[in-house]
Amino acid sequence: PRSTRKESSAASDVYKRQGSMACATCHVYVEEKWLDKLPKADDGEIDMIDMAVEPKKNSRLSCQLIVSDELNGLIVTTPAKQS
């Protein structure tokens, strides 16, 4: 399927920043059952999440999540106002 201009732009922005936590456009909600399987967010990520749209206790920056076989099946969602 083709992505929308907004989706392509957001993906491009994340790629350009290369996980530098310069924004919170990659803010996601991680399904609760996966939280303990992820490394804890560091202070920089926590600070950036505090500035994100609708932060919750299960908020993470997807640019800080390292994809691995252990995370196969991980489900994340975006805040409604960010989508």
Side-chain angles (χ1 to χ4, degrees), residues 7 23 28 30-31 37 41 49 57 71 76:
E7 290 168 336
C23 63
V28 295
V30 175
E31 242 185 18
K37 297 177 183 176
I49 289 170
K57 66 178 184 166
L71 297 181
V76 301

Side-chain angles (χ1 to χ4, degrees), residues 10 14 23-30 45-46 48-65 76-83:
V14 169
C23 63
T25 59
C26 65
H27 172 226
V28 295
Y29 302 128
V30 175
E45 182 177 358
I46 293 168
M48 191 58 63
I49 289 170
D50 285 342
M51 295 185 286
V53 174
E54 300 171 353
K56 297 180 181 181
K57 66 178 184 166
N58 62 328
S59 290
R60 292 298 302 266
L61 298 181
S62 63
C63 71
Q64 299 303 298
L65 304 179
V76 301
T77 56
T78 57
K81 291 182 180 178
Q82 182 175 305
S83 298

